[in-house]
Amino acid sequence: MTQTLLESESEAQLMTLEEFLDWVPDGSGRYELHRGVVKEMQPTGTHEQIASFLTLKLGVQIESLGLPYFIARQCIIKPIDSDQSGFNPDLTIINKNSLKQEPMWKKSSTITQGETLPLVVEVVSTNWQDDYLLKLSEYEKLGIQEYWIVDYLGLGGRRYIGNPKQPTISVYQMIEGEYMVNLFRENDPIQSAIFPELNLTAAQIFELGES
């Protein structure tokens, strides 16, 4: 997914998250707020194809396991210690039983507590630094149980996906208050603590990027 700054960071008037939520247009693109600066997210066709494929596969798991989850079409995740950022993941699974504790949900579909989010998925196209640096840190601090980075082009830094670079799915799982990561490539079956019965390999996802 490529990003477009609506104004250069030097010229932009920094927004608060509250101002951003009042401003963001409904149904006309995807936007995020990064440290007060609005970014328009412009997904590629392959990016959308992979995100839709995962939405279908994980939706089947939710239904078959009878879990109290749903997949949000769009929602904003507020970092734990910032009023100037809000992230709009490619795929967000929400525990509906926790929504009564979310003060911003009904008005602005915004999540403020990690326990509401069993799983968040980001699909990398070009802005890999945001997914591996910014969001990884913020999602860990928020306490999101599981975070997938689907890097179908192998763009991430070598310290994250190894050397040589190759298409990789990084699954970060919360263990004793910090993320531990497992990397999946080629025909590796993806292992998820949230969906232990998931029958899906990295190759099945990456094939979508080759079509």
Side-chain angles (χ1 to χ4, degrees), residues 139-202:
Y139 291 165
E140 181 180 48
K141 286 189 290 185
L142 195 57
I144 295 171
Q145 297 173 53
E146 195 164 289
Y147 172 39
W148 295 13
I149 302 177
V150 180
D151 192 348
Y152 67 93
L153 295 173
L155 297 174
R158 291 176 177 85
R159 64 188 178 277
Y160 297 107
I161 64 174
N163 189 21
K165 292 185 179 185
Q166 58 182 307
T168 302
I169 296 174
S170 304
V171 174
Y172 291 86
Q173 296 176 346
M174 187 64 65
I175 299 176
E176 296 182 357
E178 63 180 296
Y179 276 149
M180 304 295 290
V181 65
N182 290 305
L183 305 181
F184 302 96
R185 307 181 180 96
E186 299 179 342
N187 291 315
D188 294 339
I190 298 170
Q191 299 175 18
S192 167
I194 305 301
F195 298 111
E197 298 181 11
L198 182 66
N199 183 17
L200 183 64
T201 67

Side-chain angles (χ1 to χ4, degrees), residues 48-58 200 204-205 208:
E48 286 298 279
Q49 194 172 359
I50 289 174
S52 295
F53 175 76
L54 288 172
T55 298
L56 175 63
K57 292 294 185 181
L58 298 179
L200 183 64
Q204 287 175 270
I205 297 171
L208 298 172

Side-chain angles (χ1 to χ4, degrees), residues 65-200:
L65 295 173
L67 297 170
Y69 302 161
F70 68 94
I71 300 175
R73 185 180 64 86
Q74 287 196 50
C75 80
I76 297 295
I77 297 176
K78 178 187 179 300
I80 195 168
D81 55 1
S82 173
D83 291 320
Q84 288 192 313
S85 292
F87 307 126
N88 185 355
D90 294 303
L91 194 160
T92 309
I93 294 181
I94 293 176
N95 185 338
K96 61 185 179 183
N97 291 339
S98 299
L99 287 177
K100 57 182 176 293
Q101 300 172 4
E102 289 288 351
M104 302 177 68
W105 172 253
K106 286 190 176 181
K107 180 181 178 181
S108 59
S109 64
T110 297
I111 299 297
T112 64
Q113 301 178 54
E115 54 264 33
T116 306
L117 302 169
L119 173 62
V120 169
V121 178
E122 298 283 5
V123 180
V124 181
S125 292
T126 57
N127 56 317
W128 69 266
Q129 291 93 342
D130 286 342
D131 296 326
Y132 285 100
L133 291 170
L134 176 62
K135 294 180 182 179
L136 174 61
S137 172
E138 295 295 350
Y139 291 165
E140 181 180 48
K141 286 189 290 185
L142 195 57
I144 295 171
Q145 297 173 53
E146 195 164 289
Y147 172 39
W148 295 13
I149 302 177
V150 180
D151 192 348
Y152 67 93
L153 295 173
L155 297 174
R158 291 176 177 85
R159 64 188 178 277
Y160 297 107
I161 64 174
N163 189 21
K165 292 185 179 185
Q166 58 182 307
T168 302
I169 296 174
S170 304
V171 174
Y172 291 86
Q173 296 176 346
M174 187 64 65
I175 299 176
E176 296 182 357
E178 63 180 296
Y179 276 149
M180 304 295 290
V181 65
N182 290 305
L183 305 181
F184 302 96
R185 307 181 180 96
E186 299 179 342
N187 291 315
D188 294 339
I190 298 170
Q191 299 175 18
S192 167
I194 305 301
F195 298 111
E197 298 181 11
L198 182 66
N199 183 17
L200 183 64

